[in-house]
Amino acid sequence: MSKDAVWVLFLVTSFQCLLLSAETHPAILLPNHYNRNTPVTCPAPNPNLYYQPVIGIVTHPGDGATGRLSNTTGASYIAASYVKFVEAAGARVVPLIYNEPTEKLFKKLELVNGVLFTGGWAKSGLYFETIGRIFKKALEKNDAGDHFPIYAICLGFELITMIVSKDNNILEEFCASNQASTLQFVENANIKGTLFQRFPPDLLKKLSTDCLVMQNHRYGISPGKLQGNHKLSSFFEILTTCEDEDDMVYVSTMRSRNYPVSAFQWHPEKNAFEWASSEIPHTKDAIQITQYAANFLVSEARKSINRPVAQEVRDNLIYNYSPTYCGKAGKGYDEVYIFAPV
Ligand SMILES: *[C@@H]1O[C@H](CO)[C@@H](O)[C@H](O)[C@H]1NC(C)=O
């Protein structure tokens, strides 16, 4: 065979191979192969959603480390896990410093697209009043046509239970300190429009069999007491319950019937971001719970119609403060942001 003949043979067989492989393995064309001459434009995927959402997190009295970091009167803190929770889902945080003048606090509330009430212990005084004012304002925003979500976690759950019932003695005592638990969905639980809606079916199932969520509370409310209180039962719908150490049943997740309000007696933020307690679940499933819970809050916040001035947002972001590592002692929170009074 001449050199040319070999070359032709090679070309023919290669072409046949190409044809064959095209038949069995169709080529995958990446989007930019379709039409190289059309300039690529990237409009917002959904012009009705806001892609710079900001969540306000209310600070809690103290330093979050029983005085190890600061004894300053009027100091307050946010455990950094709540900030990371929000950031991991694609939003930024503005701290809402609970003891700032109400006028200043409400100005900051105009910079955010949703709020988060953290865990803690304070159930009275200025802190309780501030949570009440912000909660009321948030509901008003929704009534006025904004979609303004609220996540109330642990103490936050307890405080909005007190606020909605208008009964500061509504809570009952439970033994659920520092323990992981399952979540039991109530009969006919309607998870449409809740954080659980987007859970993959197998993860949703595991919630009721595996200890995937962290509890750390001594108060709560039983399903019976909630249902027997008209103000609470007309506002909230129970999604899940849990049993404490003494087999007493408490409401562990609920949502508002008419507002984008979700309340967790458990801690969605801890699984991925807190390490001091060996009880905190850190399995792949547990981390996903944190991620799905964070994604739901931020996806709700993207529906907000609030479009604050960008510079005013930047001036008030949590990035104006530095977190402090307090987890070296092997207890409490790993990192906290501390806000000294001005
Ligand atoms: C705060 O006070 C406690 C008790 O007196 C003390 O042990 C701690 O070191 C103080 N913290 C700071 C940051 O000074």
Side-chain angles (χ1 to χ4, degrees), residues 76-95:
S76 62
Y77 77 96
I78 296 172
S81 46
Y82 294 102
V83 177
K84 295 169 193 176
F85 177 76
V86 166
E87 289 176 348
R92 291 167 298 167
V93 168
V94 163

Side-chain angles (χ1 to χ4, degrees), residues 59-70 76-84 270 273-274 318 321-328 331-339:
T59 70
H60 182 282
D63 69 344
T66 50
R68 278 179 287 131
L69 298 178
S70 166
S76 62
Y77 77 96
I78 296 172
S81 46
Y82 294 102
V83 177
K84 295 169 193 176
K270 281 197 198 294
F273 300 116
E274 295 288 358
I318 193 93
Y321 306 87
S322 299
T324 305
Y325 177 37
C326 56
K328 211 177 244 193
K331 56 185 176 184
Y333 300 112
D334 278 81
E335 287 187 292
V336 294
Y337 288 88
I338 295 179
F339 305 87

Side-chain angles (χ1 to χ4, degrees), residues 166-279:
K166 296 193 165 74
D167 179 356
N168 292 356
N169 298 311
I170 191 93
L171 300 176
E172 300 155 285
E173 286 190 40
F174 289 93
C175 291
S177 297
N178 194 29
Q179 57 185 248
S181 82
T182 62
L183 291 178
Q184 303 300 325
F185 284 93
V186 296
E187 230 182 297
N188 303 318
N190 177 16
I191 64 164
K192 198 165 170 284
T194 74
L195 77 151
F196 297 119
Q197 189 181 347
R198 295 284 174 86
F199 274 46
D202 60 328
L203 188 62
L204 203 56
K205 244 186 244 161
K206 281 183 192 166
L207 276 176
S208 61
T209 55
D210 299 3
C211 290
L212 292 177
V213 305
M214 186 64 186
Q215 310 283 353
N216 193 18
H217 56 97
R218 288 184 296 126
Y219 295 92
I221 189 161
S222 57
K225 187 144 191 187
L226 190 147
Q227 240 110 37
N229 181 292
H230 178 70
K231 289 195 184 84
L232 287 177
S233 62
S234 58
F235 190 89
F236 288 115
E237 189 177 332
I238 303 173
L239 296 173
T240 71
T241 61
C242 292
E243 277 183 13
D244 77 353
E245 278 168 38
D246 305 323
D247 306 327
M248 301 297 290
V249 179
Y250 59 87
V251 177
S252 49
T253 320
M254 58 187 183
R255 59 116 156 226
S256 165
R257 295 178 185 279
N258 301 309
Y259 293 95
V261 174
S262 313
F264 308 84
Q265 189 71 83
W266 49 286
H267 283 274
E269 81 292 351
K270 281 197 198 294
N271 292 2
F273 300 116
E274 295 288 358
W275 300 92
S277 164
S278 58
E279 302 300 314

